[in-house]
């Protein structure tokens, strides 16, 4: 077939050429020198990694099995495992709102007056079972669908504290103390409405970053999947950050301090509120933790139950990541102060 060739002979068609040709993969001398150096350094780098792994295995193993580190790992995993199902539930609900609920629905469901919409949105939290991790993506979805931010924030605070699952868990944790359930419900909804009204009166648009939602023209289920993936990847990372901080503080706070502080009533209330922020316990389980702290007064326990679902480390991380740092540095202190004050008043009146 060589007589059929009409062009110059090349390595691609020459039967006698080497396969592959010698020219393949060759570069200039400088590049060859760099490549050769890299090839020679690669085995030494691999050997260094092996040595570090072996040394680390013997040098770090005693520290990795230390009781404090094991406790830290247990708390971190427990926080994430406990919160993740509710976070997924909230993300799914938020995505469903984005994909299937038209924006005009919220203008019909909520009062036209923003001031009246705040308590209505807060009471709506009583019918949605979920923890604080679920409330953040749902609230952001409501804002993206046109709900006034003050009403969405009231829902964000009320939902994890007054939903049926939380109230039943509180009744089980405090048997024979129905006033604890009533006090928790009343204090939580009061704080949610007050914060919503305060944001309506003093909040500014540039303090709050309303997350954009993926909007598509395709089928509703495609829009649902895109919105859910967007929210889950965004909120999941901040949940991990909050869980890391909460686990670290759980290990480093000495328990002996708590027993001594419980004897001072006002200090006990403040410390229990701060402890709720640091422990970052899901609202479905925090009543059992509060009931176990027998050294503290009922009012201090109520402060723990009211503050926890509204302000904790994982919530702060989620809120800052979702709505922006400018929002978090204003919203968190106001919510914490009102939660402590209102829970103290309800505890004094009912407990």
């Amino acid at each position: 077939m060589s007589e059929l060739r009409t062009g110059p002979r090349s390595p691609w068609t020459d039967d006698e050429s080497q396969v592959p040709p010698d020219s393949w993969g060759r570069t200039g001398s400088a590049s060859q020198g760099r490549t050769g150096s890299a090839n020679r350094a690669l085995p030494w780098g691999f050997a260094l990694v092996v040595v570090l792994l072996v040394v680390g295995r013997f040098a770090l193993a005693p520290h990795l099995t230390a009781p404090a580190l094991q406790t830290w790992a247990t708390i971190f995993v427990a926080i994430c495992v406990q919160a993740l199902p509710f976070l997924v539930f909230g993300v799914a609900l938020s995505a469903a709102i984005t994909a299937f609920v038209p924006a005009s629905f919220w203008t019909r469901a909520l009062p036209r007056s923003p001031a009246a919409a705040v308590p209505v949105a807060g009471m709506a939290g009583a019918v949605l079972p979920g923890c604080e991790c679920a409330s953040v993506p749902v609230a952001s979805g409501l804002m993206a669908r046109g709900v006034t931010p003050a009403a969405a924030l009231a829902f964000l605070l009320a939902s994890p504290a007054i939903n049926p699952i939380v109230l039943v868990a509180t009744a089980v944790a405090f048997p024979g103390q129905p006033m604890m359930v009533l006090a928790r419900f009343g204090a939580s909804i009061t704080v949610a409405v007050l914060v919503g009204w305060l944001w309506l009166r003093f909040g500014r648009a540039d303090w709050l970053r309303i997350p954009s939602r993926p909007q598509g023209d395709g089928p509703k289920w495609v829009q649902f999947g895109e919105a859910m993936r967007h929210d889950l990847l965004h909120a999941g990372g901040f949940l991990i950050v909050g869980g890391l901080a909460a686990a670290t503080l759980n290990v480093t706070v000495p328990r002996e301090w708590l027993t001594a502080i419980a004897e001072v009533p006002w200090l006990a209330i403040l410390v229990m509120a701060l402890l709720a922020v640091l422990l970052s316990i899901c609202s479905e389980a925090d009543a059992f933790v509060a009931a176990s702290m027998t050294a503290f007064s009922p009012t201090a326990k109520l402060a723990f139950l009211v503050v926890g679902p509204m302000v904790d480390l994982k919530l702060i991380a989620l809120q800052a990541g979702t709505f922006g740092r400018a929002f978090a540095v204003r919203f968190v202190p106001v919510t914490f102060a009102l939660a402590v004050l209102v829970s103290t008043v309800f505890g004094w009146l009912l407990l």
Side-chain angles (χ1 to χ4, degrees):
M1 299 295 295
S2 59
E3 66 277 9
L4 297 178
R5 297 191 186 103
T6 58
R9 300 177 66 185
S10 67
W12 299 89
T13 57
D14 194 352
D15 294 337
E16 298 178 358
S17 63
Q18 297 181 6
V19 180
D22 292 337
S23 60
W24 282 24
R26 290 189 176 181
T27 56
S29 58
S31 300
Q32 290 180 0
R34 288 193 298 267
T35 304
S37 300
N39 291 336
R40 288 192 297 270
L42 185 60
W44 290 105
F46 178 76
L48 179 62
V49 170
V50 172
V51 171
L52 291 176
L53 289 175
V54 173
V55 173
R57 168 67 179 82
F58 293 99
L60 299 178
H63 302 286
L64 295 176
T65 57
L69 186 58
Q70 290 182 341
T71 302
W72 178 91
T74 300
I75 294 173
F76 169 70
V77 173
I79 289 175
C80 294
V81 170
Q82 186 182 50
L84 187 59
F86 297 100
L87 178 63
V88 173
F89 171 79
V91 166
L93 183 59
S94 175
I97 291 173
T98 299
F100 301 110
V101 180
S104 59
F105 169 82
W106 303 109
T107 60
R108 299 192 303 267
L110 294 175
R112 292 182 179 274
S113 170
V118 169
V120 172
M123 289 301 299
V127 300
L128 290 176
C131 74
E132 53 271 23
C133 297
S135 65
V136 173
V138 173
S140 68
L142 292 175
M143 293 182 194
R145 302 298 285 174
V147 174
T148 178
L153 294 177
F155 173 86
L156 183 150
L157 296 177
S159 175
I162 66 172
N163 71 71
I165 295 178
V166 170
L167 296 180
V168 170
T170 306
V172 173
F174 293 90
Q177 303 180 51
M179 297 307 293
M180 180 63 78
V181 180
L182 181 61
R184 180 174 195 178
F185 177 89
S188 298
I189 189 63
T190 301
V191 174
V193 173
L194 289 177
V195 171
W197 280 340
L198 284 175
W199 188 268
L200 184 63
R201 175 63 179 85
F202 300 104
R204 290 167 45 183
D206 57 340
W207 291 348
L208 178 63
R209 182 186 67 210
I210 298 178
S212 60
R213 320 292 292 195
Q215 297 289 342
D217 298 329
K220 296 294 185 181
W221 283 106
V222 175
Q223 298 180 35
F224 171 82
E226 292 177 354
M228 186 170 181
R229 181 172 61 253
H230 173 272
D231 285 352
L232 187 60
L233 292 177
H234 186 265
F238 291 100
L239 172 63
I240 297 298
V241 172
L244 289 171
T248 302
L249 291 170
N250 268 273
V251 174
T252 56
V253 175
R255 299 296 178 185
E256 294 78 9
W257 293 5
L258 303 180
T259 305
I261 291 171
E263 300 176 358
V264 184
W266 281 97
L267 187 58
I269 293 174
L270 183 59
V271 167
M272 283 291 282
L274 292 173
L275 197 61
V277 177
L278 301 180
L279 293 180
S280 301
I281 302 173
C282 193
S283 58
E284 276 79 7
D286 59 358
F288 299 95
V289 176
S292 67
M293 299 181 179
T294 55
F296 289 87
S297 66
T299 302
K301 296 177 182 178
L302 178 62
F304 182 89
L305 297 177
V306 174
V307 171
M310 298 183 178
V311 183
D312 64 28
L313 290 179
K314 65 178 184 294
L315 253 183
I316 294 172
L318 285 168
Q319 291 171 1
T322 303
F323 301 117
R325 185 178 301 177
F327 167 82
V329 297
R330 294 170 174 85
F331 183 78
V332 171
V334 171
T335 303
F336 178 82
L338 276 176
V340 173
L341 178 62
V342 172
S343 60
T344 301
V345 173
F346 271 79
W348 177 67
L349 292 174
L350 300 179
L351 302 178

mmCIF file of all heavy atoms in Angstrom, residues 6-22:
data_model
loop_
_atom_site.group_PDB
_atom_site.id
_atom_site.type_symbol
_atom_site.label_atom_id
_atom_site.label_comp_id
_atom_site.label_asym_id
_atom_site.label_seq_id
_atom_site.Cartn_x
_atom_site.Cartn_y
_atom_site.Cartn_z
ATOM 1 N N THR A 6 0.768 9.865 -1.262
ATOM 2 C CA THR A 6 1.061 11.016 -2.121
ATOM 3 C C THR A 6 1.773 12.119 -1.383
ATOM 4 O O THR A 6 2.316 13.025 -2.011
ATOM 5 C CB THR A 6 -0.245 11.581 -2.701
ATOM 6 O OG1 THR A 6 -1.118 11.950 -1.627
ATOM 7 C CG2 THR A 6 -0.948 10.539 -3.577
ATOM 8 N N GLY A 7 1.768 12.077 -0.064
ATOM 9 C CA GLY A 7 2.434 13.120 0.727
ATOM 10 C C GLY A 7 3.721 12.601 1.302
ATOM 11 O O GLY A 7 4.123 11.458 1.093
ATOM 12 N N PRO A 8 4.419 13.479 2.025
ATOM 13 C CA PRO A 8 5.666 13.068 2.678
ATOM 14 C C PRO A 8 5.402 12.031 3.741
ATOM 15 O O PRO A 8 4.346 11.980 4.348
ATOM 16 C CB PRO A 8 6.200 14.376 3.259
ATOM 17 C CG PRO A 8 4.988 15.236 3.443
ATOM 18 C CD PRO A 8 4.090 14.892 2.309
ATOM 19 N N ARG A 9 6.389 11.238 3.960
ATOM 20 C CA ARG A 9 6.264 10.186 4.967
ATOM 21 C C ARG A 9 6.309 10.819 6.348
ATOM 22 O O ARG A 9 7.020 11.781 6.594
ATOM 23 C CB ARG A 9 7.407 9.163 4.812
ATOM 24 C CG ARG A 9 7.404 8.503 3.438
ATOM 25 C CD ARG A 9 8.578 7.573 3.300
ATOM 26 N NE ARG A 9 8.452 6.447 4.227
ATOM 27 C CZ ARG A 9 9.397 5.521 4.377
ATOM 28 N NH1 ARG A 9 10.525 5.591 3.694
ATOM 29 N NH2 ARG A 9 9.197 4.537 5.214
ATOM 30 N N SER A 10 5.506 10.310 7.276
ATOM 31 C CA SER A 10 5.444 10.847 8.643
ATOM 32 C C SER A 10 5.338 9.692 9.609
ATOM 33 O O SER A 10 5.016 8.572 9.226
ATOM 34 C CB SER A 10 4.212 11.765 8.797
ATOM 35 O OG SER A 10 3.026 11.004 8.702
ATOM 36 N N PRO A 11 5.592 9.934 10.860
ATOM 37 C CA PRO A 11 5.488 8.865 11.854
ATOM 38 C C PRO A 11 4.100 8.272 11.950
ATOM 39 O O PRO A 11 3.909 7.190 12.453
ATOM 40 C CB PRO A 11 5.876 9.558 13.163
ATOM 41 C CG PRO A 11 6.664 10.754 12.759
ATOM 42 C CD PRO A 11 6.110 11.181 11.443
ATOM 43 N N TRP A 12 3.086 9.030 11.477
ATOM 44 C CA TRP A 12 1.722 8.516 11.577
ATOM 45 C C TRP A 12 1.437 7.431 10.554
ATOM 46 O O TRP A 12 0.573 6.590 10.765
ATOM 47 C CB TRP A 12 0.728 9.667 11.362
ATOM 48 C CG TRP A 12 0.850 10.752 12.387
ATOM 49 C CD1 TRP A 12 1.639 11.843 12.351
ATOM 50 C CD2 TRP A 12 0.131 10.817 13.621
ATOM 51 N NE1 TRP A 12 1.482 12.599 13.456
ATOM 52 C CE2 TRP A 12 0.540 11.984 14.274
ATOM 53 C CE3 TRP A 12 -0.817 10.000 14.235
ATOM 54 C CZ2 TRP A 12 0.050 12.356 15.494
ATOM 55 C CZ3 TRP A 12 -1.326 10.371 15.458
ATOM 56 C CH2 TRP A 12 -0.876 11.541 16.074
ATOM 57 N N THR A 13 2.166 7.473 9.409
ATOM 58 C CA THR A 13 1.820 6.544 8.326
ATOM 59 C C THR A 13 2.960 5.630 7.930
ATOM 60 O O THR A 13 2.767 4.707 7.154
ATOM 61 C CB THR A 13 1.391 7.337 7.090
ATOM 62 O OG1 THR A 13 2.438 8.232 6.716
ATOM 63 C CG2 THR A 13 0.139 8.159 7.392
ATOM 64 N N ASP A 14 4.142 5.893 8.414
ATOM 65 C CA ASP A 14 5.302 5.101 8.022
ATOM 66 C C ASP A 14 5.258 3.764 8.729
ATOM 67 O O ASP A 14 5.252 3.701 9.966
ATOM 68 C CB ASP A 14 6.578 5.862 8.358
ATOM 69 C CG ASP A 14 7.792 5.239 7.675
ATOM 70 O OD1 ASP A 14 7.614 4.158 7.103
ATOM 71 O OD2 ASP A 14 8.852 5.869 7.736
ATOM 72 N N ASP A 15 5.223 2.693 7.942
ATOM 73 C CA ASP A 15 5.178 1.365 8.534
ATOM 74 C C ASP A 15 6.434 1.031 9.297
ATOM 75 O O ASP A 15 6.404 0.207 10.209
ATOM 76 C CB ASP A 15 4.953 0.317 7.435
ATOM 77 C CG ASP A 15 3.589 0.464 6.795
ATOM 78 O OD1 ASP A 15 2.682 1.039 7.453
ATOM 79 O OD2 ASP A 15 3.442 -0.011 5.664
ATOM 80 N N GLU A 16 7.576 1.653 8.910
ATOM 81 C CA GLU A 16 8.830 1.303 9.548
ATOM 82 C C GLU A 16 9.139 2.162 10.770
ATOM 83 O O GLU A 16 10.149 1.969 11.420
ATOM 84 C CB GLU A 16 9.972 1.457 8.527
ATOM 85 C CG GLU A 16 9.825 0.536 7.326
ATOM 86 C CD GLU A 16 10.950 0.756 6.343
ATOM 87 O OE1 GLU A 16 11.790 1.644 6.607
ATOM 88 O OE2 GLU A 16 10.988 0.047 5.323
ATOM 89 N N SER A 17 8.275 3.169 11.066
ATOM 90 C CA SER A 17 8.539 4.041 12.224
ATOM 91 C C SER A 17 8.181 3.316 13.506
ATOM 92 O O SER A 17 7.411 2.370 13.507
ATOM 93 C CB SER A 17 7.736 5.328 12.104
ATOM 94 O OG SER A 17 6.340 5.020 12.122
ATOM 95 N N GLN A 18 8.766 3.811 14.584
ATOM 96 C CA GLN A 18 8.483 3.213 15.881
ATOM 97 C C GLN A 18 7.086 3.650 16.340
ATOM 98 O O GLN A 18 6.603 4.714 16.003
ATOM 99 C CB GLN A 18 9.512 3.667 16.912
ATOM 100 C CG GLN A 18 10.921 3.225 16.580
ATOM 101 C CD GLN A 18 11.883 3.674 17.648
ATOM 102 O OE1 GLN A 18 11.478 4.204 18.654
ATOM 103 N NE2 GLN A 18 13.158 3.449 17.413
ATOM 104 N N VAL A 19 6.451 2.821 17.096
ATOM 105 C CA VAL A 19 5.142 3.116 17.659
ATOM 106 C C VAL A 19 5.237 2.982 19.167
ATOM 107 O O VAL A 19 5.466 1.896 19.694
ATOM 108 C CB VAL A 19 4.070 2.154 17.127
ATOM 109 C CG1 VAL A 19 2.710 2.498 17.729
ATOM 110 C CG2 VAL A 19 4.003 2.212 15.611
ATOM 111 N N PRO A 20 5.111 4.110 19.940
ATOM 112 C CA PRO A 20 4.954 5.474 19.440
ATOM 113 C C PRO A 20 6.286 6.045 18.994
ATOM 114 O O PRO A 20 7.338 5.543 19.379
ATOM 115 C CB PRO A 20 4.416 6.213 20.672
ATOM 116 C CG PRO A 20 5.047 5.502 21.814
ATOM 117 C CD PRO A 20 5.084 4.056 21.407
ATOM 118 N N PRO A 21 6.271 7.095 18.178
ATOM 119 C CA PRO A 21 7.525 7.686 17.712
ATOM 120 C C PRO A 21 8.348 8.217 18.862
ATOM 121 O O PRO A 21 7.839 8.534 19.937
ATOM 122 C CB PRO A 21 7.046 8.823 16.795
ATOM 123 C CG PRO A 21 5.623 8.489 16.455
ATOM 124 C CD PRO A 21 5.082 7.741 17.604
ATOM 125 N N ASP A 22 9.669 8.339 18.643
ATOM 126 C CA ASP A 22 10.567 8.831 19.688
ATOM 127 C C ASP A 22 10.262 10.276 20.074
ATOM 128 O O ASP A 22 10.571 10.710 21.177
ATOM 129 C CB ASP A 22 12.020 8.748 19.205
ATOM 130 C CG ASP A 22 12.459 7.303 19.052
ATOM 131 O OD1 ASP A 22 11.827 6.441 19.712
ATOM 132 O OD2 ASP A 22 13.401 7.045 18.288
#
